Amino acid sequence: MIFSCQILSAQKPVPTKADSVYKKIDDFSKDRKFFKLLHKLMFRSKKSIATTKKQKKKGASPIQKSFDKYNCRIIRNITIETFDPFGYSAENDKDIPSKRIERFGNSIHIKSKKWTIRNLLLFKKNQELDSLLIKESERLIRSQRYVRSVVIKPVPIKNSNDSIDISVRVLDTWSLIPTGAFSSSKANLELTERNFFGLGHEVSLDYIRSFSPSTFAYDSRYSIQNIKNTFINAAVSSRTDLDNNTYKAVRFERPFYSTLTRWAGGFNYDYKSYYLLLLCEGVETPLRFIFS
């Protein structure tokens, strides 16, 4: 990815180095099907951007999200909708995936569960509407690593001046992240799932293999966010390095997740075990000590 900054003026813009690089990438991908597909996924052409701007001008009015005139009304219903990461939009309910690769990506993705999102809300049914709680809930949902965007808006009820419905639309992001590296001495593969089965849990496993000497190591972690709307997080981790040293930990914590938070705290338990190999004079067999 190449980023560039330039000063805007009334004169004709001068092509930058980034523009020339982008043109080379564009020309390279035109006659190659695979790279053409990657180019469409990573970049947007000037024509498509201009078309999108025209559609926004001609399209529907922006989403009405003001809750000021609905303050103190009773929340009757809360409707939660979650969407797969490709082709959908939290702002526009008419957007649907149109490309095969988008539909394929959505088919192997597990959407966030509705109760996972409901667990992050600071307001509930049959309570008086507080616009501050609405905005804080929207910020909390957006801060999750498995969420790309969220829109919370009021839905007026006909012939009712004391009640209001709330709509919550959440667009997921791609949550499965594989990474790895390979060299002549060792290789490693790391797999992270940020939204395990749509529950909002995070699972990661890093496997390391050494070729000389032939040993292996691993680093695993499982974390649960916001247990039963208490905003208490729990995490369990276990790690063993190539020297056979071991580290295990269990953590519970409640951070200051919002300006409305009154209390926070945590508990942490660590276990560490180290192997130390000593060579002593007059002793043929090396001595191995374990410190924990």
Side-chain angles (χ1 to χ4, degrees):
M1 302 295 294
I2 300 174
F3 300 90
S4 64
C5 297
Q6 55 184 352
I7 300 176
L8 300 178
S9 63
Q11 299 178 355
K12 185 177 179 180
V14 180
T16 62
K17 185 177 180 180
D19 294 333
S20 61
V21 173
Y22 173 79
K23 188 176 183 306
K24 291 180 180 179
I25 296 175
D26 191 22
D27 295 338
F28 178 80
S29 63
K30 284 182 179 179
D31 300 329
R32 297 167 176 83
K33 293 183 178 180
F34 176 74
F35 290 101
K36 188 176 182 180
L37 177 62
L38 291 179
H39 184 272
K40 287 183 178 180
L41 292 175
M42 297 177 63
F43 301 98
R44 294 179 62 191
S45 64
K46 293 182 179 180
K47 292 182 179 179
S48 64
I49 295 174
T51 304
T52 304
K53 289 182 179 179
K54 290 181 180 179
Q55 289 176 350
K56 287 183 178 179
K57 291 181 180 179
K58 296 181 180 179
S61 58
I63 296 175
Q64 300 297 326
K65 294 176 57 180
S66 176
F67 287 88
D68 295 338
K69 62 181 180 180
Y70 302 116
N71 271 331
C72 298
R73 290 193 183 188
I74 302 300
I75 300 175
R76 188 185 68 171
N77 289 317
I78 301 175
T79 304
I80 299 176
E81 298 176 280
T82 58
F83 299 92
D84 287 311
F86 304 115
Y88 292 101
S89 172
E91 293 79 11
N92 188 358
D93 57 357
K94 295 182 180 180
D95 287 347
I96 58 174
S98 58
K99 300 178 181 179
R100 289 184 179 180
I101 190 169
E102 292 177 338
R103 292 193 290 269
F104 173 75
N106 292 336
S107 66
I108 60 177
H109 174 264
I110 300 178
K111 293 190 299 183
S112 299
K113 306 295 183 184
K114 292 183 179 180
W115 65 265
T116 302
I117 303 301
R118 190 182 301 274
N119 201 35
L120 294 167
L121 300 179
L122 300 177
F123 57 91
K124 298 180 181 180
K125 290 174 58 176
N126 302 322
Q127 289 183 348
E128 288 187 356
L129 188 148
D130 187 339
S131 59
L132 180 59
L133 295 180
I134 299 289
K135 294 177 181 178
E136 278 294 288
S137 298
E138 193 173 51
R139 184 192 62 80
L140 281 173
I141 296 173
R142 189 180 295 109
S143 66
Q144 305 304 310
R145 302 183 70 186
Y146 53 87
V147 173
R148 181 186 300 176
S149 63
V150 56
V151 173
I152 301 180
K153 63 179 181 178
V155 181
I157 303 173
K158 292 183 179 180
N159 303 323
S160 177
N161 296 322
D162 59 355
S163 300
I164 189 71
D165 289 344
I166 304 296
S167 171
V168 182
R169 292 172 58 88
V170 177
L171 179 66
D172 283 355
T173 187
W174 184 256
S175 57
L176 183 62
I177 312 297
T179 58
F182 181 84
S183 68
S184 59
S185 60
K186 63 181 179 179
N188 82 289
L189 175 65
E190 183 176 2
L191 195 63
T192 302
E193 173 56 60
R194 295 175 177 173
N195 194 9
F196 187 63
F197 283 103
L199 303 175
H201 301 179
E202 183 169 324
V203 183
S204 65
L205 177 63
D206 187 7
Y207 178 80
I208 305 172
R209 185 74 184 186
S210 175
F211 304 130
S212 180
S214 180
T215 57
F216 73 93
Y218 70 89
D219 186 359
S220 59
R221 176 186 175 87
Y222 189 92
S223 60
I224 303 174
Q225 304 293 323
N226 190 14
I227 301 173
K228 291 187 176 181
N229 199 235
T230 59
F231 291 94
I232 296 176
N233 306 328
V236 179
S237 60
S238 177
R239 182 175 73 243
T240 300
D241 60 20
L242 295 175
D243 295 325
N244 207 23
N245 300 319
T246 302
Y247 171 80
K248 297 180 181 180
V250 178
R251 189 184 78 248
F252 292 91
E253 65 175 1
R254 189 178 194 264
F256 286 101
Y257 59 90
S258 169
T259 55
L260 305 175
T261 308
R262 296 183 177 181
W263 63 272
F267 168 80
N268 192 66
Y269 171 77
D270 290 340
Y271 171 82
K272 300 179 181 179
S273 176
Y274 297 96
Y275 283 86
L276 183 61
L277 192 63
L278 298 178
L279 297 177
C280 302
E281 294 183 2
V283 180
E284 297 182 357
T285 305
L287 300 179
R288 182 183 295 269
F289 293 90
I290 302 176
F291 300 92
S292 61

